[in-house]
Amino acid sequence: MVMRWKTVSAIFFLVVLYLIIGATVFKALEQPHESSQKLAILTQKLEFLANHTCVNSSELEDLVKQVVSAVRAGVNPSGKASNQTSIWDISSSFFFAGTVITTIGFGNISPHTEGGRIFCIIYALLGIPLFGFLLAGVGDQLGTIFGKGIAKVEKMIVKWKVSQTKIRVISTLIFILFGCLIFVALPVVIFKHIEGWSTLESIYFVVITLTTIGFGDFVAGEKGGPENPEFLNYYKPVVLFWILVGLAYFAAVLSMIGDWFRVISKKTKEEVGEFRAHAAEWTANVSAEFKETRRRLSVDIYDKFQRAASIKRKLSSELGINTSLNQELTPGKRALSTSLCEDREAYPNLTLSLSPIRGGLARNGSLYLNGLSPDYADRREIAIIENFK
């Protein structure tokens, strides 16, 4: 399913906001340290020039530039015997090749020749996809191994009569904790002992490496690493193997988290679908009820009109009015009431009069209905009146 533009835009702005927060925090934490380092190196230069009057400032700056260039090339300018070995020996080159295909790129060493840079480009384009397939395969195998272990743990937990959701959460946490113990905690202890780093520095290196960030400020086997070059030849390949398996583990964890999000998204969509279905059903029911109510009102009104017509025909029949008489009536006479809508019993004051007496129909506040006048009463025609007494 393709992600909607609204969702993409929301995630984009969330990432930008996250970057702004990170930039603000890093600036607040690191800029004062940078300023203090600038002041410290400036102070040391001035002290060196003051103590060594035979050296002028331009010569010192030239030396500093050469040192910086050597450091950028991966050469340690200190005078230790261990630093005289080549950084491009077989073990270091093997380690560098591993950092290329794993996309870590520590940056402590890099090719400086044109041939080395061209080969690095081709090597990375071919090696990164190959390592991706290997990473997926190792991740699947690790997932299978941990899955079998989790299944055994779940069987044990089922005996405690715990819900399936809690069992899944507990087993997943065990999987993550066990992996962190093997690929994070144990390497931290090893690097702290071998490299001479602090606990924070060891944790920092492990996390930065396994997340493929690889700043290069801390690299295993460099800057205070093992003093024995022969041991170093075996040490770096072992570190590279740890990186491979650790990346596969983290890939499996990320895949599991992605599965969780997909399941949650699927459940959310199902709940939204059910809600929409209920809303549509409710709308249909309301619409049907409204139509039924309107139909009943129409039927009731029609029944009342039919009832009124029936009462009229009944009254006409009782009074002996026939169709021929109705046909002889003039237009003024045909205005005889057709507006009776209720039973005769509902109008006890309704009076039918055939009185020929002139003016007799106008007594006691009587009203002529339908435009009949006393002249029609002289002809002994029917006038229906309603007395309001």
Side-chain angles (χ1 to χ4, degrees):
M1 183 178 179
V2 179
M3 188 179 295
R4 295 181 178 179
W5 274 111
K6 291 183 179 179
T7 306
V8 175
S9 301
I11 296 174
F12 173 76
F13 285 113
L14 180 63
V15 171
V16 172
L17 177 62
Y18 192 74
L19 291 174
I20 293 173
I21 294 173
T24 304
V25 174
F26 285 129
K27 178 179 180 296
L29 294 175
E30 297 298 330
Q31 196 173 49
H33 177 71
E34 179 191 23
S35 300
S36 64
Q37 289 296 314
K38 288 181 178 180
L39 181 61
I41 193 63
L42 179 61
T43 304
Q44 289 180 1
K45 284 182 179 180
L46 294 176
E47 290 179 355
F48 180 83
L49 292 174
N51 296 329
H52 302 82
T53 56
C54 60
V55 179
N56 56 38
S57 60
S58 60
E59 292 175 344
L60 179 60
E61 290 299 329
D62 292 338
L63 178 61
V64 171
K65 289 179 181 179
Q66 290 179 2
V67 171
V68 171
S69 177
V71 171
R72 289 178 176 176
V75 177
N76 192 338
S78 63
K80 293 182 180 179
S82 60
N83 295 328
Q84 303 305 317
T85 58
S86 174
I87 62 172
W88 288 105
D89 58 7
I90 187 62
S91 62
S92 298
S93 299
F94 183 80
F95 187 77
F96 171 76
T99 60
V100 171
I101 65 173
T102 57
T103 69
I104 295 176
F106 285 116
N108 60 318
I109 59 175
S110 58
H112 291 274
T113 63
E114 292 184 359
R117 289 172 177 174
I118 293 173
F119 177 75
C120 185
I121 294 172
I122 300 173
Y123 187 78
L125 293 177
L126 297 177
I128 291 173
L130 180 63
F131 179 76
F133 285 116
L134 176 62
L135 190 66
V138 175
D140 290 339
Q141 293 299 322
L142 285 177
T144 302
I145 294 172
F146 282 110
K148 292 180 180 179
I150 289 174
K152 293 181 180 180
V153 173
E154 289 181 351
K155 289 181 181 179
M156 297 173 58
I157 300 177
V158 167
K159 299 178 181 179
W160 302 345
K161 296 181 179 180
V162 183
S163 64
Q164 188 66 30
T165 303
K166 292 182 179 179
I167 292 174
R168 180 62 59 183
V169 171
I170 293 172
S171 61
T172 303
L173 289 177
I174 292 174
F175 166 72
I176 295 175
L177 291 176
F178 187 71
C180 289
L181 178 64
I182 295 176
F183 300 109
V184 177
L186 185 60
V188 165
V189 176
I190 294 173
F191 290 132
K192 181 181 179 181
H193 174 71
I194 295 178
E195 299 289 340
W197 296 334
S198 66
T199 303
L200 177 60
E201 290 172 344
S202 300
I203 295 174
Y204 173 78
F205 169 74
V206 169
V207 174
I208 294 300
T209 299
L210 294 183
T211 53
T212 71
I213 297 174
F215 289 122
D217 49 352
F218 290 92
V219 180
E222 304 286 340
K223 299 179 182 179
E227 297 293 335
N228 190 349
E230 294 181 358
F231 179 75
L232 189 64
N233 292 335
Y234 298 101
Y235 177 65
K236 284 190 174 181
V238 172
V239 172
L240 185 60
F241 177 76
W242 161 73
I243 293 174
L244 168 63
V245 181
L247 289 176
Y249 165 73
F250 273 93
V253 171
L254 293 176
S255 177
M256 181 176 59
I257 294 174
D259 293 337
W260 280 1
F261 279 115
R262 281 192 290 270
V263 171
I264 294 173
S265 178
K266 184 177 180 181
K267 289 183 178 180
T268 303
K269 290 179 181 178
E270 290 177 354
E271 292 176 356
V272 171
E274 292 178 359
F275 176 78
R276 289 178 177 176
H278 287 308
E281 183 180 359
W282 180 82
T283 304
N285 292 336
V286 170
S287 178
E289 186 68 24
F290 176 75
K291 291 179 180 179
E292 179 65 19
T293 302
R294 186 173 62 181
R295 187 190 65 81
R296 290 177 180 176
L297 289 175
S298 300
V299 171
D300 291 343
I301 294 173
Y302 178 76
D303 290 343
K304 286 184 178 180
F305 277 111
Q306 290 292 100
R307 194 173 181 184
S310 177
I311 292 173
K312 176 188 173 183
R313 288 193 296 270
K314 185 176 181 181
L315 289 175
S316 300
S317 176
E318 289 178 357
L319 296 174
I321 299 175
N322 53 29
T323 57
S324 60
L325 179 59
N326 186 42
Q327 292 174 354
E328 293 176 358
L329 293 176
T330 62
K333 301 173 186 177
R334 290 197 186 101
L336 188 62
S337 173
T338 59
S339 61
L340 293 176
C341 299
E342 300 294 339
D343 295 312
R344 291 173 61 189
E345 291 80 3
Y347 298 94
N349 295 325
L350 183 64
T351 304
L352 301 178
S353 175
L354 298 176
S355 173
I357 303 174
R358 182 182 299 274
L361 292 174
R363 290 178 301 176
N364 299 324
S366 300
L367 298 175
Y368 290 98
L369 298 183
N370 304 315
L372 293 179
S373 63
D375 296 334
Y376 297 117
D378 293 341
R379 301 180 184 179
R380 310 181 69 83
E381 293 177 354
I382 299 173
I384 301 177
I385 63 172
E386 183 179 4
N387 295 321
F388 296 90
K389 296 181 180 180

